[in-house]
């Protein structure tokens, strides 16, 4: 069973930056859809950004131009660079993967993912 381990969360002031990392135990899952999701207290989980095996990226409108999803060249770690953070970005952030089956096109932000990390907390103060 593939494991995903997130890190990089923390507390920052509005306007600050954080970089989240997600280490995967099976790089084959990078061939499929992977992404970052978040859930704030009292709110439903939402898709933040996804990346496909073909390196096509999809972003939620609320984070576009502020967040960037990438992966390293060895394809074992997924990243989320978050700039110009806002208090409304405060949430538990989860890394997720679908399957090792190759996906070239865009991965929907509402795609059903099969594997989830434990989450990393991001708190943005005003």
């Amino acid at each position: 069973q593939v494991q995903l381990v997130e890190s990089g969360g923390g507390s920052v002031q509005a306007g600050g930056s954080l970089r989240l990392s997600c280490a995967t135990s099976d790089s084959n899952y990078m061939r499929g859809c992977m992404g970052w999701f978040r859930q704030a207290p009292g709110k439903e989980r939402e898709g933040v950004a996804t990346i496909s095996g073909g390196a096509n990226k999809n972003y939620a409108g609320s984070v576009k131009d502020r967040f960037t999803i990438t992966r390293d060249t060895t394809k074992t770690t997924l990243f989320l660079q978050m700039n110009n953070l806002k208090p409304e970005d405060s949430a538990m952030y989860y890394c997720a993967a679908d399957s090792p089956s190759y996906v070239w096109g865009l991965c929907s932000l509402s795609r059903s993912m099969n594997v989830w990390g434990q989450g990393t907390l991001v708190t943005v103060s005003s």
Side-chain angles (χ1 to χ4, degrees), residues 24-94:
T24 173
S25 61
D26 186 349
S27 62
N28 288 319
Y29 278 74
M30 292 278 186
R31 293 170 46 82
C33 291
M34 291 193 70
W36 291 95
F37 298 76
R38 67 186 181 187
Q39 187 167 20
K43 295 188 177 181
E44 292 188 356
R45 186 173 61 200
E46 62 174 346
V48 175
T50 60
I51 184 169
S52 69
N56 289 291
K57 303 175 182 180
N58 197 10
Y59 295 96
S62 60
V63 306
K64 199 170 184 180
D65 298 327
R66 298 189 298 123
F67 291 11
T68 304
I69 187 171
T70 59
R71 59 192 180 202
D72 69 3
T73 55
T74 63
K75 296 186 178 180
T76 59
T77 306
L78 186 71
F79 300 100
L80 184 68
Q81 178 67 43
M82 306 186 295
N83 297 329
N84 190 22
L85 282 160
K86 303 176 180 181
E88 51 263 43
D89 294 319
S90 296
M92 186 70 79
Y93 282 72
Y94 298 91

